[in-house]
Amino acid sequence: MHFTTKVPVKSYEYPINYSSKLLLLGSCFAENIGEKFDYFKFQTTTNPFGIIFNPVSIEKLVKRAVNRKVFTDADVFFHNDLWHSYDVHSGCSHSDKEILLKQLNAAVEVMYRQIVEASHILITYGTSWVYRLKATNEIVANCHKVPQNEFTKEILSPETTAQSIQNTMNLIRQINPEVMFIFTISPVRHTKDGFPENQRSKAHLIAAVHATVLDNTKSNYFPSYEIMMDELRDYRFYADDMLHPSQKAIDYIWIRFFENYINADCFDIMQEVCNIQKGLAHRPFNPETKQHQHFLETINQKIIRLQSQFPHFQF
């Protein structure tokens, strides 16, 4: 793909390498980038509590993890044959309350440990539209298909959003003062709110992140939303739902990311990992042939050699 106009990306002065430990939080675009890091065998944890879209809900989970506050019976409820928590994604829900609580509290410990150990934390915000549960006046991360009349809908102002982002950074730096932050805005369009409302939501997020990043050291903004809007401004770069970026768009945005955020010394290793991944994905017509067995042995030797340098590599 060739583009005459490219969105400027400021190279990060704290580049990511194979010794870095990464924590990715936020919307489904965080999941997309997390999959790329996993593919290339970086040390990555993505969304221990599932996909979270709005800044306040991310802040609440960070606060819980930093304080190692456990989930209790008061934090879960039963609806449509499942136990849920309003603070986490519906993918965490379970038919057994005790199992749900056990899994959520395990995720608290995972997230606490990852925050303490992280060299870089990447946070992707999806929307500034939020739902507030009337019974508690608390903003929820997920409505879990509870009737809409149980909630009020509102949009977070840029000022409220900026304060929430700052709170998130302050909480994390209480237990990891040296961590580097990378913020981005999800290019996924939330058109269920309406087209003008989606643009308003993204504008609030962009204004808030920029206001926060400019005032903080060791923080940076990666323009994934702007790349999607201004470089890939064509529906052929969207998935069939016309809302999510296509795989081609995700791949392109990832390239723009790693060119500017990953240490160039990693590029050769990334290419080796990619070659191994492609080899492992290959499905031969005749797997028992000597030629294919030799092919597998060659791949295995490459894996052993890389694992001697990077013990965390698992294929």
mmCIF file of all heavy atoms in Angstrom, residues 224-261:
data_model
loop_
_atom_site.group_PDB
_atom_site.id
_atom_site.type_symbol
_atom_site.label_atom_id
_atom_site.label_comp_id
_atom_site.label_asym_id
_atom_site.label_seq_id
_atom_site.Cartn_x
_atom_site.Cartn_y
_atom_site.Cartn_z
ATOM 1 N N SER A 224 -3.398 5.889 16.255
ATOM 2 C CA SER A 224 -4.049 4.808 15.497
ATOM 3 C C SER A 224 -5.364 5.273 14.887
ATOM 4 O O SER A 224 -5.697 4.921 13.744
ATOM 5 C CB SER A 224 -4.281 3.587 16.394
ATOM 6 O OG SER A 224 -5.072 3.917 17.512
ATOM 7 N N TYR A 225 -6.138 6.079 15.637
ATOM 8 C CA TYR A 225 -7.416 6.589 15.115
ATOM 9 C C TYR A 225 -7.181 7.483 13.901
ATOM 10 O O TYR A 225 -7.863 7.363 12.872
ATOM 11 C CB TYR A 225 -8.135 7.360 16.216
ATOM 12 C CG TYR A 225 -9.413 8.025 15.766
ATOM 13 C CD1 TYR A 225 -10.586 7.290 15.625
ATOM 14 C CD2 TYR A 225 -9.450 9.393 15.479
ATOM 15 C CE1 TYR A 225 -11.764 7.900 15.206
ATOM 16 C CE2 TYR A 225 -10.614 10.007 15.062
ATOM 17 C CZ TYR A 225 -11.764 9.258 14.922
ATOM 18 O OH TYR A 225 -12.923 9.864 14.504
ATOM 19 N N GLU A 226 -6.186 8.361 14.005
ATOM 20 C CA GLU A 226 -5.906 9.288 12.910
ATOM 21 C C GLU A 226 -5.380 8.558 11.680
ATOM 22 O O GLU A 226 -5.706 8.933 10.540
ATOM 23 C CB GLU A 226 -4.900 10.345 13.377
ATOM 24 C CG GLU A 226 -5.445 11.297 14.426
ATOM 25 C CD GLU A 226 -5.430 10.747 15.845
ATOM 26 O OE1 GLU A 226 -5.083 9.550 16.020
ATOM 27 O OE2 GLU A 226 -5.768 11.478 16.773
ATOM 28 N N ILE A 227 -4.577 7.514 11.884
ATOM 29 C CA ILE A 227 -4.092 6.731 10.751
ATOM 30 C C ILE A 227 -5.262 6.086 10.011
ATOM 31 O O ILE A 227 -5.334 6.093 8.778
ATOM 32 C CB ILE A 227 -3.081 5.660 11.219
ATOM 33 C CG1 ILE A 227 -1.790 6.329 11.695
ATOM 34 C CG2 ILE A 227 -2.774 4.675 10.099
ATOM 35 C CD1 ILE A 227 -0.829 5.386 12.394
ATOM 36 N N MET A 228 -6.208 5.554 10.779
ATOM 37 C CA MET A 228 -7.385 4.925 10.164
ATOM 38 C C MET A 228 -8.227 5.948 9.409
ATOM 39 O O MET A 228 -8.680 5.700 8.293
ATOM 40 C CB MET A 228 -8.223 4.256 11.251
ATOM 41 C CG MET A 228 -9.342 3.374 10.711
ATOM 42 S SD MET A 228 -8.695 1.855 9.992
ATOM 43 C CE MET A 228 -10.112 1.293 9.053
ATOM 44 N N MET A 229 -8.412 7.123 10.008
ATOM 45 C CA MET A 229 -9.274 8.140 9.406
ATOM 46 C C MET A 229 -8.617 8.849 8.223
ATOM 47 O O MET A 229 -9.283 9.162 7.232
ATOM 48 C CB MET A 229 -9.651 9.195 10.458
ATOM 49 C CG MET A 229 -10.533 8.705 11.596
ATOM 50 S SD MET A 229 -12.159 8.119 11.050
ATOM 51 C CE MET A 229 -11.913 6.344 11.218
ATOM 52 N N ASP A 230 -7.322 9.103 8.310
ATOM 53 C CA ASP A 230 -6.683 9.973 7.325
ATOM 54 C C ASP A 230 -5.782 9.266 6.327
ATOM 55 O O ASP A 230 -5.553 9.801 5.238
ATOM 56 C CB ASP A 230 -5.885 11.060 8.047
ATOM 57 C CG ASP A 230 -6.781 12.004 8.829
ATOM 58 O OD1 ASP A 230 -7.828 12.378 8.281
ATOM 59 O OD2 ASP A 230 -6.447 12.356 9.973
ATOM 60 N N GLU A 231 -5.262 8.099 6.675
ATOM 61 C CA GLU A 231 -4.474 7.334 5.719
ATOM 62 C C GLU A 231 -5.289 6.216 5.065
ATOM 63 O O GLU A 231 -5.167 5.974 3.870
ATOM 64 C CB GLU A 231 -3.242 6.723 6.402
ATOM 65 C CG GLU A 231 -2.173 7.732 6.765
ATOM 66 C CD GLU A 231 -0.912 7.053 7.261
ATOM 67 O OE1 GLU A 231 -0.484 6.048 6.639
ATOM 68 O OE2 GLU A 231 -0.357 7.513 8.274
ATOM 69 N N LEU A 232 -6.102 5.547 5.870
ATOM 70 C CA LEU A 232 -6.867 4.393 5.379
ATOM 71 C C LEU A 232 -8.333 4.777 5.186
ATOM 72 O O LEU A 232 -9.229 4.022 5.524
ATOM 73 C CB LEU A 232 -6.738 3.231 6.362
ATOM 74 C CG LEU A 232 -5.318 2.820 6.731
ATOM 75 C CD1 LEU A 232 -5.335 1.664 7.715
ATOM 76 C CD2 LEU A 232 -4.503 2.451 5.505
ATOM 77 N N ARG A 233 -8.586 5.959 4.674
ATOM 78 C CA ARG A 233 -9.950 6.481 4.592
ATOM 79 C C ARG A 233 -10.685 5.919 3.379
ATOM 80 O O ARG A 233 -11.001 6.611 2.437
ATOM 81 C CB ARG A 233 -9.942 8.002 4.571
ATOM 82 C CG ARG A 233 -8.951 8.615 3.588
ATOM 83 C CD ARG A 233 -8.962 10.119 3.715
ATOM 84 N NE ARG A 233 -7.938 10.728 2.875
ATOM 85 C CZ ARG A 233 -7.705 12.030 2.848
ATOM 86 N NH1 ARG A 233 -8.416 12.842 3.586
ATOM 87 N NH2 ARG A 233 -6.754 12.521 2.072
ATOM 88 N N ASP A 234 -10.945 4.634 3.459
ATOM 89 C CA ASP A 234 -11.619 3.928 2.374
ATOM 90 C C ASP A 234 -12.279 2.705 2.987
ATOM 91 O O ASP A 234 -11.680 2.021 3.816
ATOM 92 C CB ASP A 234 -10.585 3.512 1.317
ATOM 93 C CG ASP A 234 -11.228 2.986 0.052
ATOM 94 O OD1 ASP A 234 -12.015 2.020 0.160
ATOM 95 O OD2 ASP A 234 -10.951 3.526 -1.031
ATOM 96 N N TYR A 235 -13.515 2.403 2.556
ATOM 97 C CA TYR A 235 -14.244 1.290 3.176
ATOM 98 C C TYR A 235 -13.607 -0.067 2.904
ATOM 99 O O TYR A 235 -13.944 -1.044 3.568
ATOM 100 C CB TYR A 235 -15.705 1.302 2.712
ATOM 101 C CG TYR A 235 -16.561 2.235 3.541
ATOM 102 C CD1 TYR A 235 -17.079 3.408 3.006
ATOM 103 C CD2 TYR A 235 -16.827 1.947 4.881
ATOM 104 C CE1 TYR A 235 -17.841 4.267 3.770
ATOM 105 C CE2 TYR A 235 -17.591 2.798 5.660
ATOM 106 C CZ TYR A 235 -18.102 3.958 5.101
ATOM 107 O OH TYR A 235 -18.853 4.799 5.870
ATOM 108 N N ARG A 236 -12.679 -0.149 1.963
ATOM 109 C CA ARG A 236 -12.019 -1.442 1.757
ATOM 110 C C ARG A 236 -11.102 -1.789 2.918
ATOM 111 O O ARG A 236 -10.623 -2.929 3.020
ATOM 112 C CB ARG A 236 -11.252 -1.458 0.434
ATOM 113 C CG ARG A 236 -10.117 -0.498 0.333
ATOM 114 C CD ARG A 236 -9.740 -0.179 -1.110
ATOM 115 N NE ARG A 236 -8.870 0.971 -1.163
ATOM 116 C CZ ARG A 236 -7.558 0.906 -1.374
ATOM 117 N NH1 ARG A 236 -6.971 -0.265 -1.551
ATOM 118 N NH2 ARG A 236 -6.832 1.996 -1.400
ATOM 119 N N PHE A 237 -10.832 -0.830 3.812
ATOM 120 C CA PHE A 237 -10.017 -1.100 4.989
ATOM 121 C C PHE A 237 -10.858 -1.390 6.225
ATOM 122 O O PHE A 237 -10.343 -1.407 7.340
ATOM 123 C CB PHE A 237 -9.063 0.068 5.256
ATOM 124 C CG PHE A 237 -8.040 0.247 4.172
ATOM 125 C CD1 PHE A 237 -8.074 1.355 3.338
ATOM 126 C CD2 PHE A 237 -7.065 -0.718 3.969
ATOM 127 C CE1 PHE A 237 -7.143 1.518 2.329
ATOM 128 C CE2 PHE A 237 -6.127 -0.574 2.952
ATOM 129 C CZ PHE A 237 -6.161 0.545 2.129
ATOM 130 N N TYR A 238 -12.167 -1.592 6.021
ATOM 131 C CA TYR A 238 -13.054 -1.968 7.113
ATOM 132 C C TYR A 238 -13.507 -3.415 6.946
ATOM 133 O O TYR A 238 -13.582 -3.938 5.825
ATOM 134 C CB TYR A 238 -14.273 -1.049 7.170
ATOM 135 C CG TYR A 238 -13.977 0.306 7.751
ATOM 136 C CD1 TYR A 238 -13.584 1.365 6.932
ATOM 137 C CD2 TYR A 238 -14.068 0.535 9.125
ATOM 138 C CE1 TYR A 238 -13.294 2.617 7.468
ATOM 139 C CE2 TYR A 238 -13.792 1.784 9.669
ATOM 140 C CZ TYR A 238 -13.399 2.815 8.834
ATOM 141 O OH TYR A 238 -13.105 4.039 9.359
ATOM 142 N N ALA A 239 -13.819 -4.040 8.076
ATOM 143 C CA ALA A 239 -14.378 -5.392 8.038
ATOM 144 C C ALA A 239 -15.801 -5.338 7.490
ATOM 145 O O ALA A 239 -16.330 -4.268 7.185
ATOM 146 C CB ALA A 239 -14.358 -5.992 9.436
ATOM 147 N N ASP A 240 -16.433 -6.498 7.378
ATOM 148 C CA ASP A 240 -17.764 -6.567 6.761
ATOM 149 C C ASP A 240 -18.801 -5.711 7.484
ATOM 150 O O ASP A 240 -19.765 -5.259 6.877
ATOM 151 C CB ASP A 240 -18.245 -8.017 6.707
ATOM 152 C CG ASP A 240 -17.457 -8.852 5.698
ATOM 153 O OD1 ASP A 240 -16.785 -8.245 4.839
ATOM 154 O OD2 ASP A 240 -17.505 -10.092 5.793
ATOM 155 N N ASP A 241 -18.607 -5.495 8.807
ATOM 156 C CA ASP A 241 -19.587 -4.687 9.544
ATOM 157 C C ASP A 241 -19.407 -3.192 9.309
ATOM 158 O O ASP A 241 -20.200 -2.375 9.783
ATOM 159 C CB ASP A 241 -19.531 -4.992 11.039
ATOM 160 C CG ASP A 241 -18.178 -4.622 11.683
ATOM 161 O OD1 ASP A 241 -17.303 -4.068 10.975
ATOM 162 O OD2 ASP A 241 -18.015 -4.892 12.876
ATOM 163 N N MET A 242 -18.364 -2.811 8.577
ATOM 164 C CA MET A 242 -18.061 -1.415 8.258
ATOM 165 C C MET A 242 -17.778 -0.563 9.498
ATOM 166 O O MET A 242 -17.829 0.655 9.447
ATOM 167 C CB MET A 242 -19.192 -0.764 7.433
ATOM 168 C CG MET A 242 -19.403 -1.406 6.086
ATOM 169 S SD MET A 242 -17.913 -1.262 5.066
ATOM 170 C CE MET A 242 -18.252 -2.459 3.780
ATOM 171 N N LEU A 243 -17.472 -1.205 10.602
ATOM 172 C CA LEU A 243 -17.180 -0.508 11.852
ATOM 173 C C LEU A 243 -15.764 -0.798 12.345
ATOM 174 O O LEU A 243 -15.073 0.092 12.823
ATOM 175 C CB LEU A 243 -18.188 -0.911 12.937
ATOM 176 C CG LEU A 243 -19.670 -0.683 12.628
ATOM 177 C CD1 LEU A 243 -20.522 -1.219 13.768
ATOM 178 C CD2 LEU A 243 -19.938 0.802 12.407
ATOM 179 N N HIS A 244 -15.347 -2.069 12.252
ATOM 180 C CA HIS A 244 -14.034 -2.479 12.732
ATOM 181 C C HIS A 244 -13.016 -2.439 11.592
ATOM 182 O O HIS A 244 -13.366 -2.707 10.436
ATOM 183 C CB HIS A 244 -14.092 -3.895 13.299
ATOM 184 C CG HIS A 244 -14.872 -4.005 14.572
ATOM 185 N ND1 HIS A 244 -16.248 -3.993 14.593
ATOM 186 C CD2 HIS A 244 -14.470 -4.113 15.868
ATOM 187 C CE1 HIS A 244 -16.664 -4.095 15.843
ATOM 188 N NE2 HIS A 244 -15.608 -4.164 16.639
ATOM 189 N N PRO A 245 -11.765 -2.132 11.888
ATOM 190 C CA PRO A 245 -10.728 -2.202 10.854
ATOM 191 C C PRO A 245 -10.583 -3.630 10.328
ATOM 192 O O PRO A 245 -10.718 -4.597 11.078
ATOM 193 C CB PRO A 245 -9.458 -1.768 11.587
ATOM 194 C CG PRO A 245 -9.927 -1.050 12.802
ATOM 195 C CD PRO A 245 -11.231 -1.673 13.179
ATOM 196 N N SER A 246 -10.334 -3.744 9.031
ATOM 197 C CA SER A 246 -10.064 -5.060 8.449
ATOM 198 C C SER A 246 -8.695 -5.544 8.890
ATOM 199 O O SER A 246 -7.900 -4.782 9.470
ATOM 200 C CB SER A 246 -10.100 -4.969 6.926
ATOM 201 O OG SER A 246 -9.007 -4.181 6.458
ATOM 202 N N GLN A 247 -8.386 -6.797 8.614
ATOM 203 C CA GLN A 247 -7.078 -7.329 8.972
ATOM 204 C C GLN A 247 -5.969 -6.562 8.251
ATOM 205 O O GLN A 247 -4.901 -6.309 8.827
ATOM 206 C CB GLN A 247 -6.987 -8.817 8.635
ATOM 207 C CG GLN A 247 -5.735 -9.492 9.176
ATOM 208 C CD GLN A 247 -5.622 -9.383 10.693
ATOM 209 O OE1 GLN A 247 -6.539 -9.739 11.412
ATOM 210 N NE2 GLN A 247 -4.493 -8.876 11.184
ATOM 211 N N LYS A 248 -6.244 -6.154 7.021
ATOM 212 C CA LYS A 248 -5.245 -5.376 6.281
ATOM 213 C C LYS A 248 -4.966 -4.044 6.984
ATOM 214 O O LYS A 248 -3.817 -3.606 7.082
ATOM 215 C CB LYS A 248 -5.731 -5.114 4.858
ATOM 216 C CG LYS A 248 -4.737 -4.347 3.988
ATOM 217 C CD LYS A 248 -5.268 -4.144 2.574
ATOM 218 C CE LYS A 248 -5.252 -5.446 1.795
ATOM 219 N NZ LYS A 248 -5.586 -5.213 0.353
ATOM 220 N N ALA A 249 -6.028 -3.403 7.497
ATOM 221 C CA ALA A 249 -5.852 -2.135 8.210
ATOM 222 C C ALA A 249 -5.093 -2.348 9.520
ATOM 223 O O ALA A 249 -4.211 -1.552 9.870
ATOM 224 C CB ALA A 249 -7.209 -1.497 8.478
ATOM 225 N N ILE A 250 -5.442 -3.413 10.245
ATOM 226 C CA ILE A 250 -4.743 -3.723 11.501
ATOM 227 C C ILE A 250 -3.262 -3.951 11.237
ATOM 228 O O ILE A 250 -2.388 -3.447 11.957
ATOM 229 C CB ILE A 250 -5.377 -4.944 12.184
ATOM 230 C CG1 ILE A 250 -6.797 -4.608 12.671
ATOM 231 C CG2 ILE A 250 -4.513 -5.425 13.355
ATOM 232 C CD1 ILE A 250 -7.597 -5.810 13.101
ATOM 233 N N ASP A 251 -2.969 -4.708 10.185
ATOM 234 C CA ASP A 251 -1.570 -4.986 9.835
ATOM 235 C C ASP A 251 -0.826 -3.694 9.512
ATOM 236 O O ASP A 251 0.333 -3.513 9.917
ATOM 237 C CB ASP A 251 -1.497 -5.935 8.643
ATOM 238 C CG ASP A 251 -1.993 -7.332 8.964
ATOM 239 O OD1 ASP A 251 -2.110 -7.668 10.159
ATOM 240 O OD2 ASP A 251 -2.286 -8.093 8.020
ATOM 241 N N TYR A 252 -1.487 -2.800 8.780
ATOM 242 C CA TYR A 252 -0.851 -1.534 8.399
ATOM 243 C C TYR A 252 -0.577 -0.671 9.626
ATOM 244 O O TYR A 252 0.525 -0.118 9.785
ATOM 245 C CB TYR A 252 -1.732 -0.776 7.406
ATOM 246 C CG TYR A 252 -1.132 0.538 6.976
ATOM 247 C CD1 TYR A 252 -0.168 0.594 5.974
ATOM 248 C CD2 TYR A 252 -1.494 1.735 7.591
ATOM 249 C CE1 TYR A 252 0.411 1.788 5.598
ATOM 250 C CE2 TYR A 252 -0.928 2.942 7.231
ATOM 251 C CZ TYR A 252 0.021 2.964 6.216
ATOM 252 O OH TYR A 252 0.607 4.155 5.857
ATOM 253 N N ILE A 253 -1.568 -0.542 10.513
ATOM 254 C CA ILE A 253 -1.386 0.271 11.716
ATOM 255 C C ILE A 253 -0.302 -0.333 12.598
ATOM 256 O O ILE A 253 0.505 0.382 13.203
ATOM 257 C CB ILE A 253 -2.722 0.422 12.475
ATOM 258 C CG1 ILE A 253 -3.731 1.202 11.613
ATOM 259 C CG2 ILE A 253 -2.512 1.143 13.808
ATOM 260 C CD1 ILE A 253 -5.134 1.229 12.185
ATOM 261 N N TRP A 254 -0.253 -1.661 12.663
ATOM 262 C CA TRP A 254 0.804 -2.324 13.432
ATOM 263 C C TRP A 254 2.181 -1.978 12.871
ATOM 264 O O TRP A 254 3.119 -1.710 13.637
ATOM 265 C CB TRP A 254 0.597 -3.836 13.421
ATOM 266 C CG TRP A 254 1.812 -4.612 13.819
ATOM 267 C CD1 TRP A 254 2.616 -5.354 13.009
ATOM 268 C CD2 TRP A 254 2.396 -4.712 15.135
ATOM 269 N NE1 TRP A 254 3.645 -5.915 13.721
ATOM 270 C CE2 TRP A 254 3.542 -5.532 15.031
ATOM 271 C CE3 TRP A 254 2.049 -4.188 16.377
ATOM 272 C CZ2 TRP A 254 4.335 -5.842 16.120
ATOM 273 C CZ3 TRP A 254 2.860 -4.493 17.473
ATOM 274 C CH2 TRP A 254 3.977 -5.308 17.336
ATOM 275 N N ILE A 255 2.307 -1.965 11.542
ATOM 276 C CA ILE A 255 3.594 -1.616 10.930
ATOM 277 C C ILE A 255 4.003 -0.199 11.328
ATOM 278 O O ILE A 255 5.156 0.043 11.703
ATOM 279 C CB ILE A 255 3.520 -1.760 9.392
ATOM 280 C CG1 ILE A 255 3.434 -3.241 9.009
ATOM 281 C CG2 ILE A 255 4.741 -1.117 8.730
ATOM 282 C CD1 ILE A 255 3.119 -3.486 7.550
ATOM 283 N N ARG A 256 3.046 0.734 11.277
ATOM 284 C CA ARG A 256 3.351 2.105 11.689
ATOM 285 C C ARG A 256 3.774 2.143 13.157
ATOM 286 O O ARG A 256 4.627 2.946 13.545
ATOM 287 C CB ARG A 256 2.133 3.026 11.493
ATOM 288 C CG ARG A 256 1.652 3.218 10.060
ATOM 289 C CD ARG A 256 2.657 3.896 9.137
ATOM 290 N NE ARG A 256 3.285 5.073 9.702
ATOM 291 C CZ ARG A 256 2.740 6.308 9.715
ATOM 292 N NH1 ARG A 256 1.553 6.499 9.203
ATOM 293 N NH2 ARG A 256 3.396 7.319 10.225
ATOM 294 N N PHE A 257 3.168 1.286 13.974
ATOM 295 C CA PHE A 257 3.515 1.240 15.392
ATOM 296 C C PHE A 257 4.927 0.709 15.587
ATOM 297 O O PHE A 257 5.765 1.364 16.230
ATOM 298 C CB PHE A 257 2.513 0.382 16.155
ATOM 299 C CG PHE A 257 2.780 0.312 17.639
ATOM 300 C CD1 PHE A 257 2.170 1.209 18.503
ATOM 301 C CD2 PHE A 257 3.643 -0.634 18.172
ATOM 302 C CE1 PHE A 257 2.427 1.165 19.870
ATOM 303 C CE2 PHE A 257 3.904 -0.690 19.527
ATOM 304 C CZ PHE A 257 3.289 0.217 20.381
ATOM 305 N N PHE A 258 5.219 -0.475 15.042
ATOM 306 C CA PHE A 258 6.510 -1.077 15.386
ATOM 307 C C PHE A 258 7.678 -0.320 14.753
ATOM 308 O O PHE A 258 8.789 -0.313 15.294
ATOM 309 C CB PHE A 258 6.525 -2.581 15.091
ATOM 310 C CG PHE A 258 6.964 -3.018 13.727
ATOM 311 C CD1 PHE A 258 8.282 -2.932 13.320
ATOM 312 C CD2 PHE A 258 6.054 -3.574 12.834
ATOM 313 C CE1 PHE A 258 8.693 -3.373 12.078
ATOM 314 C CE2 PHE A 258 6.449 -4.017 11.592
ATOM 315 C CZ PHE A 258 7.777 -3.911 11.203
ATOM 316 N N GLU A 259 7.425 0.375 13.636
ATOM 317 C CA GLU A 259 8.494 1.184 13.043
ATOM 318 C C GLU A 259 8.934 2.318 13.979
ATOM 319 O O GLU A 259 10.077 2.768 13.910
ATOM 320 C CB GLU A 259 8.020 1.787 11.721
ATOM 321 C CG GLU A 259 7.934 0.795 10.573
ATOM 322 C CD GLU A 259 7.366 1.426 9.308
ATOM 323 O OE1 GLU A 259 6.717 2.493 9.395
ATOM 324 O OE2 GLU A 259 7.560 0.838 8.233
ATOM 325 N N ASN A 260 8.024 2.765 14.834
ATOM 326 C CA ASN A 260 8.303 3.930 15.662
ATOM 327 C C ASN A 260 8.452 3.631 17.150
ATOM 328 O O ASN A 260 8.962 4.476 17.891
ATOM 329 C CB ASN A 260 7.196 4.961 15.470
ATOM 330 C CG ASN A 260 7.202 5.581 14.094
ATOM 331 O OD1 ASN A 260 7.977 6.485 13.815
ATOM 332 N ND2 ASN A 260 6.356 5.079 13.211
ATOM 333 N N TYR A 261 8.005 2.456 17.598
ATOM 334 C CA TYR A 261 7.993 2.171 19.027
ATOM 335 C C TYR A 261 8.857 0.981 19.429
ATOM 336 O O TYR A 261 9.134 0.809 20.606
ATOM 337 C CB TYR A 261 6.561 1.927 19.509
ATOM 338 C CG TYR A 261 5.740 3.182 19.611
ATOM 339 C CD1 TYR A 261 5.159 3.749 18.489
ATOM 340 C CD2 TYR A 261 5.563 3.829 20.831
ATOM 341 C CE1 TYR A 261 4.420 4.912 18.566
ATOM 342 C CE2 TYR A 261 4.820 4.993 20.925
ATOM 343 C CZ TYR A 261 4.257 5.533 19.778
ATOM 344 O OH TYR A 261 3.530 6.689 19.866
#
